[in-house]
Amino acid sequence: MSALEAGLALAPSSLVSMAVGPFAGRLSDRIGGKYPLTAGLSLYAAGTVAIVLVAGAATPWYLFARRRR
């Protein structure tokens, strides 16, 4: 991937992090940081495994955004 393509492929994770950050901070203040951190890392690992199973070395970035039926 070029630098632009890599940036576009990774942009959604940054946007989600910015949107969820304030809620996760309040939640960790309320119940402690262990459970939100464990849940977040588990979801991240599951997403990474899903990408590894679906993607190949030559898969273009825009195919990850395509809705499957």
Side-chain angles (χ1 to χ4, degrees):
M1 289 186 179
S2 69
L4 177 63
E5 291 171 340
L8 289 173
L10 295 174
S13 65
S14 298
L15 296 174
V16 169
S17 179
M18 286 185 341
V20 173
F23 302 109
R26 284 188 221 120
L27 183 65
S28 67
D29 285 344
R30 193 176 310 155
I31 64 170
K34 180 172 131 180
Y35 298 113
L37 183 61
T38 303
L41 289 174
S42 299
L43 288 172
Y44 185 78
T48 302
V49 168
I51 289 173
V52 167
L53 293 175
V54 172
T59 305
W61 67 270
Y62 54 82
L63 290 181
F64 293 109
R66 189 176 79 182
R67 182 178 167 183
R68 300 208 183 251
R69 293 183 183 169

